[in-house]
Amino acid sequence: MTRLLVRDLAQLATPAGTDAPLRGSDLGSVDVIEDAFVLCADGRIEAVGRMADLPPPDGDVEELDGRGRSAIPGLVDCHTHACFAGDRVEEFSLRSGGATYEELNAAGGGILSTVGATRGAGEAGLRDALDRHRGWMLAAGTTTFEAKSGYGLDRGTELAQLRAIRDAGGVPTWLGAHAVPPEFDTADEYLDFALAEVLPEAATIAEAADVFLERGAFDAAQARRYLEACAADGLALRLHGDQFTEAGAIPLAVELGARSVDHLEATGPAGVAVVARSDVTGVLLPASALFLDRPMPPARALLEAGAALALATDFNPGSAFCESLPLVCSLACTQLGLSPPQALSACTVNGAHVVGRADTKGRLAPGYDADIVLLDAPDWRHLAYHLGGPVVSEVIVGGERWR
Ligand code: NIG
Ligand code: FE
């Protein structure tokens, strides 16, 4: 049996566990143990506690010195578009000169330029690109990641994206309704094709479906048609909603029992109240708001109204070229009004609920997967405090030291 003991940690922090995402004032329910250890066996956590209560050694155990460091659960990034080829540095440069994201998308750049690069990369090239991005995410402490298709928008490339994500250990989401590709004149014609030709096989690989419900992408009626067909094939539902305009994503998410509605930068008080009363988790993506110079989502209002919230990077080449959840936690604490414990729960246990992994991911407790991040600081709140710095000092995945 392979065992790993992380000992003499200055602190260990783990969110509370429940059967449902933490919401409202419970979001900050984080237990902190000083002078702590974590014992892992066969990829799982066997015990967590104070050094004074460490059981006597029994059999072969590899030891890892935690002095001066703190431990948190491996981070869970529940919203990324990490499976893409190429980059959009040229577009970034144009945006810095005043062009807007929506203008670039409407002019056939934006998402469609990454569709071109992704279609052209071939399956092997796409897998290499995803591996590279996966390495960046792991270095930043993400041990569980969701990733969406949506840069193929043809049968072969959408399915290749989903297989690549699954084979890289990610949670695949079919974002078949991301944009209308150039071969189709209308969104409805494209959806006819996607639902008839891609969904049947996509549903055997993906765990969820997602749609970009927005002016210039898919409207509420089209999103409903797409999501209802995906649900009928067994997929959980997610929505990109209220990124630029309130176009009906929140009521649709609630009506269809979606797992999450993501973005919410444009959500007003009525939408806040609807999310808060529902079981739909609001996934906040402050790196995307920052990167596009958009308003931040109304996180405090959502929290005070009792909503379940998660945080994610939205890592993609256009609206958020950012793979770092620690940076997202810094933004959550400085821009969204969340506390460090609220930020931690939002990108661990609540992210795990959004991707259907809450029984094994997102907490440091016996029986959970031994995914652990060691921070290079004796106080775990440096996770959010160290703005963009090298705060992650070691990443343990399934009880094994990564790198
Ligand atoms: O979540 N807004 C839609 N989709 C992504 C961006 C994709 C892209 O720009 O390549 C988002 O922001
Ligand atoms: Fe996104």
Side-chain angles (χ1 to χ4, degrees), residues 343-361:
L344 180 69
S345 299
C347 64
T348 52
V349 68
N350 277 14
H353 276 287
V354 170
V355 296
R357 298 284 193 283
D359 45 350
T360 52
K361 306 286 184 187

Side-chain angles (χ1 to χ4, degrees), residues 74-87:
L75 302 175
V76 179
D77 198 341
C78 68
H79 181 141
T80 86
H81 306 249
C83 188
F84 62 88
D87 64 48

Side-chain angles (χ1 to χ4, degrees), residues 47-85:
V48 165
R50 293 180 59 84
M51 280 304 290
D53 302 322
L54 180 65
D58 141 36
D60 265 1
V61 183
E62 180 189 350
E63 294 200 353
L64 183 56
D65 183 0
R67 272 178 299 180
R69 302 199 275 179
S70 49
I72 57 171
L75 302 175
V76 179
D77 198 341
C78 68
H79 181 141
T80 86
H81 306 249
C83 188
F84 62 88

Side-chain angles (χ1 to χ4, degrees), residues 149-171:
S149 65
Y151 291 130
L153 307 178
D154 62 22
R155 185 170 193 280
T157 316
E158 284 293 306
L159 297 175
Q161 281 196 282
L162 293 173
R163 283 192 297 268
I165 295 161
R166 176 198 61 196
D167 295 349
V171 180

Side-chain angles (χ1 to χ4, degrees), residues 15 48 53 55 92 98 130 137 146 158 182 192 208 226 243 321 347 378:
V48 165
D53 302 322
F92 175 75
L130 177 59
M137 293 193 280
E146 179 262 14
E158 284 293 306
D192 290 342
Y226 172 79
Q243 184 178 11
F321 195 51
C347 64

